[in-house]
Amino acid sequence: MKNYPSLKIVDVFKGVFQRFGVDYPAMRRILQIKLTMDRRRMPTVFNEAGRQNKDNESNQFLKSLWIYAFLGLVLIPFILIRDSYMLPMTLVYGVLMFLLMTSMISDFSQVLLDIRDKNILNTKPVNRRTVNVAKMVHVSIYMFILTGTITGIPLLVSLLVRGWPFFIVFLGQIILIDLLIVVVTALLYILVLRFFDGEKLKDIINYVQIALSLSIVIGYQLVIRSFEIFNLDFTFAPQWWQAFLPPIWYGALFETLLGGSRDVYLIVFSILAVTVPFLSIYIYIKAIPSFERNLEKLSHQEQGKKKKKGRLGRLLCKTREEEIFYYFARKMMKNERQFKLKVYPVLGLSFVIPFILIFNEVRMSSFEEVAASRYYLSVYFSAMMIPTVILMLRYSENFKGSWVYKALPVTNRSPIFKGTLKAFIVALYVPVFAALSGIFMFIFSVNIFPDLIVVWLVSSLYVLFCFKVLNGEIMPFSESFEMAQQETGKVLFLFVPILVLYGIHFWVGGLTFGTPVYGAVLFVANMVLWRRL
């Protein structure tokens, strides 16, 4: 079996692991097997394997790293700022923690919560602490590789431009951030496992992952709010609540060590930056026995209660076949955890981003001025979830059951596609759009109702357009999630049409009777195109 370079690095810390009661030879063998099995695993961010040609002799995660290296270039402009340490380095660590945390949630949480190896390891003389530490080291290896890829070029730039002291502090804090993210995620799952069990537990974990994705974006906004602009100079105003924002800790440590600041708040934040990662590791090690016991709950399955079908499908669908696939798609979207994990954060962002835009504008002008403006058209951002969700409708954890499409006595695929798209609109898009519309009418007055109708009609056409571009004749839920992200370029491209439609709406809104006429044209277009689907 291959002796991976990462294992040689882990060997350096052999004494540390043994001091904590870890059976190091057993842990090393477990890691070796896990790293070998990872050759078959596809990362969420990228998938290079073709449908018919999968290379099992190479690690797909490593092939995807060029994308992270490209994303890491965004850190360089902040590193070059010399006026202060607090703002640029807080932003650097905010972006870095965003990238690492989202990757941890999407790709590595399943490693921490994996119980499939228990049938083998529980029959061997391996203690539970060794198994759990092996899991943590396994995740940490990939996190450090990922972090090194993101920060490799920025670290080199920092060394050449800012010097050795800056480079050493930057590198040390990156290591601390990696430890913090891995361990805090594990501790969060331990907390969830403590109070819930069975199928409900799996749903709770899914929602925790979704909440983490949203909290990262909201937290980033809070970080920005910690800085005020005076004559184009950024001034940091320390507040007690900033102690809950880790990026500020690490910006404060830079300001304390290299900037010479002796502000009490900054010193406290600096202490948190150093002590919290190691404290969290200590707590995790103590919680390992409880984590292992509660992890067994993931294998428990509960029978869900059957719910009667409502009448909505009968009203929306014209044929019996369309109605059947409407309810089928709704059930799949409700029960597929991978689908929810990949889609729900996008739904949350599409709801939050319009308000972030409005709040940013309120900072520059008064609330009354914003309420009198046309900022209600930021509701178009709710439609930016559509390409991602449409793409995910192709995939399923149970994709092997797609043979049923061939077994069914259905010759026309149109009812399948219509039922699935209507299920998506009703189950996912309508709640977000309706909530935004209600709040926007409260802020901007009910006079914007005609514009909201136009946005709805535009979104309905946009659904059809995205479906034709992304899915074509591919049956819903018929492919593995391992095939996801191959269409990432198309998804990004599909943001352009909605921006164009936003511009058209903004333009016709300034014409006499422009909005009603535009709405009538869109209504006719919807009637024709939905029939032809």
Side-chain angles (χ1 to χ4, degrees):
M1 198 175 291
K2 187 176 179 179
N3 190 21
Y4 297 95
S6 55
L7 292 178
K8 296 178 182 178
I9 297 174
V10 175
D11 287 339
V12 176
F13 302 95
K14 177 179 178 180
V16 177
F17 288 114
Q18 290 177 331
R19 212 169 277 124
F20 281 101
V22 175
D23 182 351
Y24 185 77
M27 186 195 81
R28 195 183 193 282
R29 176 62 68 179
I30 292 170
L31 283 173
Q32 197 171 21
I33 294 172
K34 286 179 177 290
L35 291 171
T36 302
M37 294 299 293
D38 285 342
R39 296 168 185 266
R40 302 179 181 179
R41 181 174 164 273
M42 304 292 175
T44 298
V45 69
F46 183 72
N47 186 340
E48 195 170 300
R51 295 169 186 253
Q52 305 297 331
N53 182 25
K54 291 186 179 181
D55 180 10
N56 290 331
E57 296 302 318
S58 61
N59 192 312
Q60 300 299 322
F61 171 80
L62 298 180
K63 288 185 176 182
S64 72
L65 290 178
W66 67 270
I67 294 179
Y68 289 109
F70 180 76
L71 292 174
L73 298 178
V74 75
L75 304 178
I76 294 177
F78 301 112
I79 293 172
L80 298 177
I81 297 175
R82 292 179 175 271
D83 295 339
S84 69
Y85 292 104
M86 193 65 200
L87 171 65
M89 297 317 296
T90 296
L91 293 177
V92 164
Y93 292 122
V95 173
L96 181 60
M97 293 182 78
F98 170 80
L99 294 174
L100 293 177
M101 199 71 179
T102 50
S103 183
M104 180 71 189
I105 293 167
S106 61
D107 285 319
F108 303 125
S109 289
Q110 59 184 336
V111 177
L112 289 174
L113 302 172
D114 192 6
I115 59 175
R116 292 174 297 178
D117 56 3
K118 287 187 173 294
N119 292 332
I120 298 174
L121 294 177
N122 285 354
T123 62
K124 304 296 184 290
V126 183
N127 62 59
R128 292 180 175 180
R129 176 168 294 185
T130 299
V131 174
N132 278 278
V133 172
K135 284 185 178 181
M136 291 296 294
V137 176
H138 182 208
V139 174
S140 298
I141 287 172
Y142 282 107
M143 285 294 285
F144 279 109
I145 293 173
L146 177 64
T147 308
T149 304
I150 295 173
T151 60
I153 298 176
L155 276 169
L156 180 61
V157 171
S158 71
L159 177 61
L160 296 176
V161 177
R162 306 299 298 270
W164 278 102
F166 188 100
F167 172 81
I168 293 171
V169 176
F170 190 19
L171 178 61
Q173 294 195 57
I174 288 171
I175 295 172
L176 291 175
I177 285 173
D178 264 352
L179 293 174
L180 180 67
I181 289 175
V182 173
V183 179
V184 167
T185 303
L187 289 174
L188 185 59
Y189 290 149
I190 289 173
L191 182 65
V192 175
L193 284 162
R194 175 71 177 80
F195 296 103
F196 300 96
D197 56 10
E199 289 296 307
K200 188 173 182 181
L201 169 63
K202 295 175 185 177
D203 288 330
I204 292 292
I205 290 175
N206 196 233
Y207 295 134
V208 166
Q209 292 170 323
I210 293 164
L212 279 173
S213 298
L214 292 178
S215 65
I216 291 168
V217 175
I218 296 173
Y220 187 74
Q221 290 295 316
L222 291 175
V223 168
I224 296 297
R225 297 295 182 276
S226 299
F227 297 88
E228 296 295 338
I229 302 176
F230 296 99
N231 298 324
L232 299 181
D233 292 326
F234 288 91
T235 303
F236 178 70
Q239 302 290 336
W240 64 269
W241 53 267
Q242 292 161 354
F244 298 99
L245 301 174
I248 288 181
W249 302 351
Y250 295 99
L253 186 56
F254 249 100
E255 193 68 46
T256 302
L257 293 178
L258 301 182
S261 175
R262 294 296 176 263
D263 184 276
V264 175
Y265 275 109
L266 296 186
I267 292 174
V268 171
F269 296 159
S270 300
I271 293 172
L272 290 174
V274 177
T275 58
V276 170
F278 294 104
L279 179 62
S280 60
I281 291 174
Y282 176 79
I283 295 172
Y284 174 76
I285 292 173
K286 290 295 183 182
I288 281 178
S290 172
F291 183 40
E292 185 66 21
R293 287 193 303 271
N294 290 322
L295 204 58
E296 296 289 346
K297 298 176 182 178
L298 287 173
S299 61
H300 299 163
Q301 301 232 347
E302 298 174 1
Q303 293 293 331
K305 295 182 180 179
K306 292 185 178 180
K307 294 185 178 180
K308 293 182 178 180
K309 295 180 180 178
R311 296 182 179 179
L312 187 57
R314 201 173 299 171
L315 294 173
L316 293 174
C317 303
K318 294 185 177 180
T319 65
R320 177 62 176 163
E321 290 83 1
E322 187 178 325
E323 182 185 356
I324 289 172
F325 285 104
Y326 168 85
Y327 285 114
F328 169 72
R330 290 204 62 168
K331 190 170 184 178
M332 291 293 289
M333 289 187 286
K334 179 181 178 182
N335 295 335
E336 291 263 331
R337 292 190 180 86
Q338 280 290 329
F339 178 86
K340 290 190 287 187
L341 178 58
K342 295 176 185 297
V343 166
Y344 281 19
V346 179
L347 302 187
L349 291 178
S350 65
F351 181 82
V352 170
I353 288 177
F355 294 108
I356 291 176
L357 294 174
I358 291 174
F359 291 151
N360 286 337
E361 184 64 21
V362 168
R363 296 183 70 207
M364 304 298 177
S365 55
S366 66
F367 181 81
E368 289 75 16
E369 290 175 325
V370 173
S373 70
R374 300 182 67 186
Y375 255 86
Y376 55 83
L377 290 180
S378 61
V379 74
Y380 268 97
F381 278 93
S382 65
M384 298 189 80
M385 71 158 102
I386 291 173
T388 301
V389 181
I390 294 293
L391 177 63
M392 288 300 115
L393 288 174
R394 287 165 49 170
Y395 307 112
S396 170
E397 297 170 68
N398 304 298
F399 67 97
K400 291 182 180 179
S402 59
W403 59 267
V404 73
Y405 291 122
K406 297 181 179 178
L408 291 173
V410 178
T411 56
N412 184 10
R413 294 185 174 187
S414 180
I416 300 176
F417 297 143
K418 286 182 180 178
T420 302
L421 293 178
K422 288 178 181 179
F424 149 60
I425 292 172
V426 172
L428 300 179
Y429 185 65
V430 167
V432 173
F433 183 80
L436 279 174
S437 298
I439 297 172
F440 276 26
M441 283 193 288
F442 177 78
I443 295 174
F444 296 97
S445 83
V446 294
N447 294 331
I448 69 170
F449 185 73
D451 289 280
L452 295 176
I453 294 296
V454 168
V455 176
W456 170 260
L457 293 171
V458 167
S459 301
S460 180
L461 285 177
Y462 189 51
V463 167
L464 293 176
F465 179 73
C466 292
F467 176 78
K468 285 295 185 182
V469 173
L470 293 173
N471 289 27
E473 294 299 313
I474 298 174
M475 302 301 286
F477 312 108
S478 62
E479 295 185 346
S480 169
F481 277 108
E482 288 187 352
M483 306 302 295
Q485 302 299 329
Q486 292 192 36
E487 306 288 346
T488 302
K490 286 186 179 179
V491 170
L492 295 175
F493 168 76
L494 285 171
F495 290 150
V496 175
I498 197 65
L499 294 176
V500 172
L501 291 168
Y502 162 82
I504 295 172
H505 188 168
F506 189 87
W507 175 68
V508 300
L511 304 176
T512 305
F513 301 112
T515 299
V517 172
Y518 185 44
V521 172
L522 290 171
F523 179 78
V524 173
N526 270 278
M527 294 291 289
V528 173
L529 294 178
W530 272 93
R531 284 181 181 176
R532 295 175 116 182
L533 178 64

